[in-house]
Every structure is written in structure tokens, then in C-alpha cells.
Amino acid sequence: MLNASRRNLEAIVRDPEGSQIARCLVRRGRYIIGRDRKNEIVVEEESVSNRHARLTVVNDHEFYIEDLESANGTSINGHPAGGPTRIEAGARIQLGLCTLDLQRAGLPAAVFSFLPEGFLRETRYNLGEAVVEGRTSTIYSAFDTTLGRDVAIKVMRPESQMNLEHVLRFVREAQITSQLQHPGILTVYELGLNEQTQLYYTTRFVEGEAFESVLDAMSTRHPAAIAAHSLGSLLTAWQKTCDAVAYANAHGVIHAGLRPESITLGSFGEVVVISWCYARTTKHAPNGNELKRAVHAAPIDAIPPLSPYCAPEIASAAWEEVSARTDVYSLGAILYRMITLHRPIAQQEDPAMFEAIINGSIRPPAQFGSEPHPHCPGGRYPGQLVAIAMKALSRKPQDRYQSVPDLQAAVNTWQEGLSR
């Protein structure tokens, strides 16, 4: 088992460049912070006074900071701290030009309010190769030595664990997807910390490739890619994606960040929707099917990285407008890309892309009608199917299909007409 001391609370002070200059285990009690060597936490930095501040630890979740008439002051989130001031979750504490962080097991101390007790345990996984390198985490293939099965492990990068927002998004994704029991959504097996105190969770391992990679290859009219993927086979994968998203929507979960990169095509026909870190939960799911267990990690009102598949209400952070119709928009954008092999919005830089999304500036699909469409039936441009995609891409949510099943039904009707 991991040593229990690794869960002790630590006070860490960093200089203006972010380098650690003081580290101290703290328990219940009071700690003087400053340059004086007699202090409990000694910080040798010019902007810090000899007796700069007092840190009070009441219990595992209650902390206070008090300025001791220092020369350069103590602040919390930019506001001066005079008398004892409570430190709330995720607060930025400034001592002169230095910062004070409270951590436990290498994580922001505040995050332990959202994690179950006793989740640290001895490692049980043999780590394999890195499969996906993300901005804040890495996904590895691994072998579960306890149950004798292949798994995937998503591990947070150490630098990302210093950011409470990133940590809560990671925990929230695990807490949400662990309750979505659908073949097209990776169920979370375990959430914990590894021996390097990196936060991780494990899921089923799916061998395959990102939908984006397939569409990129097809957009170059690469013969092998065109031969391997017809519009019909793409629609099969798209419909399976819709099934997974519709299931989540029915349980009050909106993905809110769908794009081809968040869809994995398995080697044996599996289609898996990943990247639920920006998911939103609604208060009332259809027919009372909301998640059975509360999602303890608070929602982070952060906008996913902009993409041509991002709905206007997400780009503008109009959270009250986010609903199943938000996912309809993204699925319509993916459908548009599948048909035309072009992204629905041409702009690539964030400012221009933002304006295009907000204004509904979708590229007129007719401009691609004269191009060869070897993946389409008869090599012809399917105008009726594009019209379905364009309705899903309506700027106003009320003008779109009102649910993912409604969008699927429209596509099914088109396919049935094609087969006659």
C-alpha cells in the first residue's frame, strides 16, 4: 500500500518564476511564514517579510491566511488579506511576489472534497505505450494484472495537476462517464492516484483510429481511404455515434464538445465517443432518467477549444441555452464534413472562427457540388442529405432538429429513399 504520509497536507511556496522555494508538511495548527529562520515556513525571497503571514489549519478542508503587517502584503485572488481570511477552493494566495499553494498527494488540497476517501492504493497496472498525447493528460495502453485484461489509462500531466480547473474537469469526466453504461461510451473502471501521485482513471481499451484521421485522408482523395470508406460506411459510424450521444442526452448529459477527434472507430466496427471533459448535466432528464449518483466535481464554465463543430451557444458561453440541440449542431457539422469532405466553417484562427460560429457563417455546400465525390452513391453530391445537415447547423437552437433521434430519423428516411 502507498504510505499514508503521502496524503499529508503540504504548504508550497513558489517564487515569481514559478520555482519551488519552500515546502512544509502542515497539520492542524498555526504556521508563521516569512524570511526569519525561526518561522515554521521559511521563505527566502526579497518580497517576503521576516514575519509575513500566518497560515491556520483548522481541519482537512478549512484553512485561513492572515497578513502580519508585511511590507508587500498578502492577498487572496487579488484582494488584500488583513485579519484571518478563509482560503476557498482554488484561491490564488500571494505573499509579496510569491505564491502559496496547499497540496495533498501532489494535487490541489481543495480537490479532495470531490474525491472518495481511501482511493489511494497499490499500483496494479503494467503501463504500455502512450496512445494519445493530450493537452492536459496522456492515454496509455496498459495491462490490469489483477483482472488479467487490457485497459486504457488516462493520466494527468504533473503540470496540469497544479491547475484546479483542469483537475476538476478530469474528475468530472470520470464521474459522469462512469454512469453512462452504453457500448459507445467508455465506462470508467477506477479513479485514483499512481505511485508518482498522478491522477488517473482506467477504461476499456479500444484499438482503432480517430474519425478525424479518416476524414482527413479522404479529403485528399487518397485512393486507399476512398476505397475503405464509402458514405454508407461513414453514416453507419455516424449513426452509432448518434446512438451513444442520444443515450447520454436521455440521461441528462450533453457532450458539448463533439468533433471528429472525439470519435474513435474501432478495428471491429466499434464506435466510441470520448472526451467528455466539457460535458454539461441538465437538471431534468427525459422520463426521469437523470444520472443516479450526484456528480460531485463542480461544472467548469470553460469553453472547449474552438472548432468548426462548436455550437454558437457553447462558443458564446450561453450555458442556459445548452441542451440536446447543442449536440445536434455538432453532429450536423460532422455530417456536413462526411458528405462534402470540407469543414463547415472555413476560418481557422480563433477570432475569425468565433465570429463565423456566432454569425452562422456556414460555407454554402453548393460550392463543392462540382467537385468529385467518389465516396458518395453514384459519385454524385447528395443534396437532400446536405439539407439535413444544414438544418442541424442552424444558428438558433429552436430551428434545428429538437433531439438527436429526430436528426437520426431524417437521415434514416433519406437512406430508405436511396435504397428504393
Side-chain angles (χ1 to χ4, degrees):
M1 295 295 291
L2 292 173
N3 192 314
S5 67
R6 294 180 69 176
R7 292 190 58 189
N8 287 344
L9 182 68
E10 292 182 294
I12 299 172
V13 182
R14 294 182 172 84
D15 65 16
E17 286 71 44
S19 299
Q20 178 180 301
I21 56 175
R23 188 186 194 104
C24 179
L25 286 175
V26 292
R27 296 180 176 84
R28 183 177 178 181
R30 297 179 177 180
Y31 300 81
I32 302 298
I33 307 171
R35 293 166 62 185
D36 195 320
R37 303 294 294 181
K38 296 179 181 179
N39 295 332
E40 287 82 7
I41 303 176
V42 179
V43 180
E44 297 182 347
E45 204 278 337
E46 292 181 356
S47 68
V48 175
S49 299
N50 287 333
R51 286 171 56 84
H52 194 104
R54 179 185 291 114
L55 172 67
T56 301
V57 179
V58 178
N59 54 46
D60 280 356
H61 309 296
E62 188 175 355
F63 322 107
Y64 295 83
I65 194 76
E66 176 185 4
D67 187 73
L68 300 178
E69 299 182 352
S70 64
N72 294 307
T74 301
S75 66
I76 300 178
N77 294 330
H79 301 289
T85 305
R86 183 160 185 171
I87 302 170
E88 302 295 342
R92 179 176 175 81
I93 309 165
Q94 200 82 23
L95 309 172
L97 298 178
C98 297
T99 56
L100 169 66
D101 294 318
L102 296 176
Q103 292 189 359
R104 193 183 301 279
L107 296 173
V111 79
F112 276 76
S113 300
F114 308 100
L115 293 172
E117 285 292 327
F119 76 102
L120 293 176
R121 62 180 64 186
E122 188 175 0
T123 184
R124 57 188 273 189
Y125 303 103
N126 291 334
L127 210 61
E129 297 180 350
V131 179
V132 178
E133 295 277 359
R135 284 179 291 270
T136 61
S137 59
T138 303
I139 300 176
Y140 297 90
S141 61
F143 182 73
D144 183 340
T145 58
T146 301
L147 296 176
R149 61 181 177 184
D150 292 322
V151 297
I153 296 185
K154 188 172 184 177
V155 183
M156 285 207 76
R157 297 179 182 276
E159 61 272 19
S160 296
Q161 293 194 173
M162 295 170 58
N163 186 310
L164 181 62
E165 179 180 317
H166 291 167
V167 173
L168 289 182
R169 275 212 305 266
F170 189 95
V171 173
R172 184 176 174 80
E173 179 177 29
Q175 291 179 336
I176 288 176
T177 53
S178 67
Q179 298 188 61
L180 296 177
Q181 304 294 315
H182 188 276
I185 302 171
L186 295 177
T187 300
V188 172
Y189 298 144
E190 180 182 31
L191 171 68
L193 286 174
N194 63 19
E195 291 183 321
Q196 291 74 42
T197 67
Q198 291 174 279
L199 193 63
Y200 73 90
Y201 65 75
T202 59
T203 69
R204 174 167 56 99
F205 179 77
V206 176
E207 184 177 353
E209 62 181 328
F211 203 3
E212 175 73 2
S213 298
V214 171
L215 295 176
D216 281 346
M218 294 182 69
S219 66
T220 65
R221 305 305 195 275
H222 192 282
I226 296 296
H229 302 283
S230 66
L231 180 60
S233 67
L234 294 180
L235 283 172
T236 297
W238 181 85
Q239 288 280 19
K240 290 181 180 180
T241 300
C242 290
D243 289 341
V245 175
Y247 172 88
N249 291 171
H251 288 77
V253 177
I254 312 302
H255 189 287
L258 284 169
R259 60 190 69 190
E261 298 97 313
S262 57
I263 302 168
T264 299
L265 305 182
S267 302
F268 297 94
E270 314 99 306
V271 176
V272 178
V273 180
I274 62 173
S275 302
W276 295 81
C277 57
Y278 290 97
R280 313 285 299 183
T281 54
T282 59
K283 294 182 179 179
H284 302 290
N287 303 318
N289 288 327
E290 59 270 3
L291 298 180
K292 303 303 180 186
R293 298 182 301 279
V295 178
H296 296 294
I300 302 298
D301 286 339
I303 299 172
L306 284 179
S307 79
Y309 311 93
C310 184
E313 58 269 28
I314 294 293
S316 62
W319 306 118
E320 70 283 354
E321 296 182 16
V322 174
S323 68
R325 296 175 296 190
T326 301
D327 287 341
V328 166
Y329 180 99
S330 297
L331 290 167
I334 295 170
L335 180 61
Y336 178 109
R337 174 88 187 276
M338 287 163 41
I339 302 166
T340 66
L341 300 181
H342 293 275
R343 294 172 176 82
I345 290 176
Q347 291 78 0
Q348 298 183 16
E349 299 298 324
D350 280 0
M353 186 185 299
F354 174 82
E355 290 297 326
I357 293 171
I358 296 301
N359 295 325
S361 301
I362 307 300
R363 287 201 269 190
Q367 73 183 68
F368 308 122
S370 61
E371 294 180 356
H373 292 80
H375 67 301
C376 293
R380 294 191 300 272
Y381 180 82
Q384 290 180 327
L385 187 59
V386 171
I388 294 172
M390 291 299 289
K391 179 176 179 179
L393 281 165
S394 296
R395 184 172 63 85
K396 296 180 179 180
Q398 61 268 29
D399 294 335
R400 304 171 198 159
Y401 295 97
Q402 298 303 289
S403 69
V404 174
D406 287 347
L407 172 59
Q408 289 181 277
V411 173
N412 287 336
T413 299
W414 176 83
Q415 288 182 295
E416 289 172 359
L418 192 67
S419 63
R420 292 172 186 167

